């Protein structure tokens, strides 16, 4: 592989690191933003939903286009949009301008993440799953650093929540030139021999398989966001603990770094890992209803990070592998599923918080994680039964 092609992986790692910084920092900052603009918990959920509403819409438009126009240029455009959104939020005079900026940011965020994932599949073929897991580890590293750096900036230098958006904006501005000079291979289009094509088309059921993948992704992103974005709310409003949310969120994302590295090594077992992860998540979310001690809560958030970590790379990897030649369109569709979960669940959580409180809201997420377990079992049936794919050993 030539040097310009080798640049792709580290460039994508840095891009995902920046997205992680924004995600983790936003999870810490959302309550402070709500206090500054004097909005309710439901409006706080709307801020989160604005970002994920954009994540739901934009990949549907640009995912398929990236297969035609070239993924590198779509990523460059998405980076510029992300930068514009960050700057708009930083300069926003009021809540309405913040919502607009968050939507713009989410538009660039979603297209950048989904297209970068697709380009790794094109560039590294059968090894792509491991590379995707490693880049997601960088995302998790950024999500650990984000809240810690924001908290340090506030305490040490008197800065505010705007640091959440200033840091990734600077990082993305620095990465525009390196990406421009990175060489990206053209889209891989695999062919099926004539004798096999007829049989494969007869038995191919993308509606069932993609439906399971999309549903599982919606649930995953929903419970991950519900866990992370409302951690500060849980500690401060329910447990009456202030100033500790950055440590809890950092523990959550630190665990994801470890589990995503491990899942990259064990990528061939991704289907079994999915079932284990969703089941473990369901049990831990239900367990939050019964705990009050800060150390126990921190441990449970760490364990949830362990279980959440492998899910996104595994779902994306399965989707890209099952639809070769359409990686941009498929990863765009999965990114839209991310946006749907991220847009709907914070609003649902904000509504649930007002009616039932934080603990009951975590029970609701546990029930939804149980539905994801059923979806993964259905996915097993179609991938191993209808298609006769050998079980993973």
């Amino acid at each position: 592989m030539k040097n310009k092609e080798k640049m792709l992986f580290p460039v994508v790692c840095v891009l995902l690191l920046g997205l992680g910084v924004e995600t983790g920092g936003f999870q810490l900052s959302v309550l402070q933003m709500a206090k500054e603009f004097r909005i309710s918990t439901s409006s706080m959920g709307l801020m989160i939903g604005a970002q994920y509403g954009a994540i739901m819409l934009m990949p549907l438009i640009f995912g398929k286009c990236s297969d035609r126009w070239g993924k590198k240029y779509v990523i460059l455009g998405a980076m510029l949009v992300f930068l514009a959104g960050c700057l708009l939020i930083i300069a926003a005079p009021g809540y309405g301008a913040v919502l607009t900026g968050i939507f713009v940011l989410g538009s660039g965020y979603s297209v950048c993440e989904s297209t970068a994932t697709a380009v790794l599949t094109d560039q590294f073929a059968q090894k792509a799953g491991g590379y995707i897991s490693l880049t997601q580890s960088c995302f998790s590293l950024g999500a650990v650093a984000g809240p810690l750096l924001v908290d340090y900036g506030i305490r040490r230098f008197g800065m505010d929540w705007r640091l959440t958006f200033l840091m990734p904006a600077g990082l993305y501005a620095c990465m525009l030139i390196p990406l421009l000079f990175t060489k990206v291979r053209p889209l891989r289009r695999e062919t099926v021999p004539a004798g096999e094509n007829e049989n494969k088309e007869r038995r191919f059921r993308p509606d069932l398989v993609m439906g399971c993948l999309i549903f599982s992704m919606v649930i995953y992103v929903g419970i991950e966001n519900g866990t992370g974005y409302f951690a500060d709310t849980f500690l401060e409003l329910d447990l009456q603990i202030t100033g500790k949310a950055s440590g809890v969120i950092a523990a959550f994302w630190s665990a994801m770094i470890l589990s995503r590295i491990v899942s990259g090594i064990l990528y061939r077992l991704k289907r079994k890992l999915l079932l284990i992860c969703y089941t473990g998540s369901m049990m831990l979310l239900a367990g939050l209803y019964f705990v009050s001690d800060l150390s126990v809560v921190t441990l449970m958030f760490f364990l949830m990070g362990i279980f959440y970590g492998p899910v996104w790379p595994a779902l994306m990897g399965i989707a890209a592998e099952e639809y070769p030649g359409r990686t941009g369109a498929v990863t765009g569709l999965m990114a839209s599923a991310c946006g749907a979960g991220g847009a709907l669940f914070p609003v649902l959580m904000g509504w649930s918080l007002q009616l039932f409180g934080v603990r009951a809201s975590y029970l609701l997420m546990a029930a939804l994680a149980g539905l994801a377990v059923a979806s993964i079992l259905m996915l097993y049936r179609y991938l191993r039964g209808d298609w006769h794919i050998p079980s993973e050993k």
Side-chain angles (χ1 to χ4, degrees), residues 192-344:
V192 180
E196 298 178 12
N197 190 53
E198 180 182 353
N199 184 51
K200 185 172 184 178
E201 286 187 0
R202 179 174 59 84
R203 299 167 64 184
F204 189 57
R205 308 177 83 172
D207 53 327
L208 297 170
V209 173
M210 186 54 71
C212 290
L213 289 169
I214 288 174
F215 181 78
S216 300
M217 183 65 85
V218 169
I219 297 296
Y220 163 68
V221 176
I223 61 177
E224 182 202 280
N225 279 281
T227 302
Y229 279 106
F230 290 93
D232 196 14
T233 305
F234 179 40
L235 293 178
E236 186 167 329
L237 300 185
D238 193 286
L239 303 184
Q240 305 300 310
I241 299 173
T242 58
K244 300 296 182 181
S246 61
V248 173
I249 294 173
F252 175 68
W253 285 104
S254 295
M256 281 205 190
I257 299 173
L258 174 63
S259 63
R260 282 176 169 169
I261 292 173
V262 172
S263 70
I265 298 170
L266 303 177
Y267 184 73
R268 59 194 298 268
L269 304 175
K270 55 188 174 297
R271 298 176 202 159
K272 294 176 182 177
L273 287 175
L274 279 175
L275 185 60
I276 294 170
C277 290
Y278 277 115
T279 303
S281 301
M282 176 181 65
M283 296 172 64
L284 286 166
L285 285 167
L288 283 175
Y289 184 84
F290 303 99
V291 299
S292 299
D293 183 74
L294 176 62
S295 60
V296 177
V297 170
T298 303
L299 175 61
M300 293 183 73
F301 269 73
F302 179 83
L303 292 174
M304 279 191 287
I306 292 287
F307 284 117
Y308 286 177
V311 176
W312 197 96
L315 290 174
M316 277 292 196
I318 291 172
E321 289 172 4
E322 297 301 334
Y323 299 88
R326 291 180 286 170
T327 54
V330 169
T331 54
L333 185 59
M334 291 295 287
S336 294
C338 291
L344 295 174

Side-chain angles (χ1 to χ4, degrees), residues 127-149:
K127 297 180 180 179
Y131 282 100
I132 291 171
S133 294
L134 290 174
T135 57
Q136 284 296 309
S137 298
C138 293
F139 178 94
S140 301
L141 177 62
V144 172
L148 294 177
L149 290 172

Side-chain angles (χ1 to χ4, degrees), residues 13 24 120 133 174 183 196 224 275 346 377:
C13 284
L120 289 175
S133 294
C174 293
K183 184 176 180 180
E196 298 178 12
E224 182 202 280
L275 185 60
L377 289 173

Side-chain angles (χ1 to χ4, degrees), residues 17-27 51 82 105 109 164-165 168:
L17 178 73
L19 296 183
V21 168
E22 188 275 336
T23 298
F26 193 16
Q27 289 178 350
Q51 176 169 331
F82 180 83
L105 177 151
Y109 181 121
T164 293
F165 306 98

Side-chain angles (χ1 to χ4, degrees), residues 27-42:
Q27 289 178 350
L28 177 69
S29 301
V30 65
L31 182 61
Q32 301 307 316
M33 295 169 71
K35 288 179 178 179
E36 177 172 327
F37 296 111
R38 299 180 181 179
I39 59 176
S40 66
T41 54
S42 58

